[in-house]
Amino acid sequence: MTTLKMLDSRKMAFLFDMKLHYRKEKPPVTMDGKLGEYIGSGDGTLNGLRINGNVHWTLFEAQTETVCPANLIGLITTDDNAEIKLDAIGFFMRPDPADPYRWVNSAAIRFVTADERYAWLNSILGVWRGETDGRIWRHDIQVHAISA
């Protein structure tokens, strides 16, 4: 029998808050999403203790009425000009059918960078929790690192 080990919240460290905005005119980061169809692209900001900057992102989803598997791919440009790729796979869920514009979401994130100042990101996984306001096409996301 396999024992399920619960994730200890003390092993999660805050990385940054991220605010993403849909921009109709913004070209996709890539058209090579891992799942779903291309939904749109945009930009945003991230603010944290060790990482601050801007992000250009593209979203792919397998759209349904209440739960959408999603893949968000982005390129972070830090305030000190480093580039960090992010690849997030997760779910968007509409918790209340009476409010079709509010979605909650979560995802696992993989970071990749060649910049030595941020190389520590290559060896961690991130997790996000967030909300999306479909009226103004804004995602508010909090990202944490999982340590072993």
Side-chain angles (χ1 to χ4, degrees), residues 84-85 110-115 118-125:
I84 303 164
K85 295 176 186 176
R110 169 116 163 82
F111 300 99
V112 177
T113 184
D115 193 297
Y118 296 94
W120 55 274
L121 287 167
N122 294 329
S123 62
I124 66 166
L125 285 176

Side-chain angles (χ1 to χ4, degrees), residues 55-89:
V55 62
H56 175 191
W57 58 270
T58 297
L59 178 63
F60 300 87
E61 285 183 5
Q63 290 189 316
T64 69
E65 288 295 314
T66 57
V67 178
C68 299
N71 179 206
L72 187 137
I73 297 169
L75 179 63
I76 298 168
T77 304
T78 64
D79 287 349
D80 55 359
N81 294 314
E83 289 190 345
I84 303 164
K85 295 176 186 176
L86 72 88
D87 188 353
I89 295 180

Side-chain angles (χ1 to χ4, degrees), residues 96-137:
D96 181 1
D99 186 358
Y101 296 103
R102 180 177 173 261
W103 293 78
V104 295
N105 44 74
S106 63
I109 306 170
R110 169 116 163 82
F111 300 99
V112 177
T113 184
D115 193 297
E116 289 299 319
R117 298 170 294 175
Y118 296 94
W120 55 274
L121 287 167
N122 294 329
S123 62
I124 66 166
L125 285 176
V127 293
W128 97 26
R129 64 178 183 175
E131 284 202 23
T132 300
D133 184 337
R135 284 181 279 273
I136 59 174
W137 292 100

Side-chain angles (χ1 to χ4, degrees), residues 13-56:
F14 172 76
L15 283 178
F16 51 82
D17 287 317
M18 190 165 54
K19 297 200 180 298
L20 305 178
H21 302 276
Y22 169 72
R23 306 285 187 215
K24 187 176 183 178
E25 71 284 355
K26 199 80 167 167
V29 173
T30 181
M31 288 304 291
D32 296 325
K34 291 179 178 58
L35 58 87
E37 296 181 31
Y38 172 71
I39 300 300
S41 297
D43 56 25
T45 58
L46 52 114
N47 296 296
L49 301 174
R50 297 175 66 185
I51 306 172
N52 294 285
N54 297 298
V55 62
H56 175 191

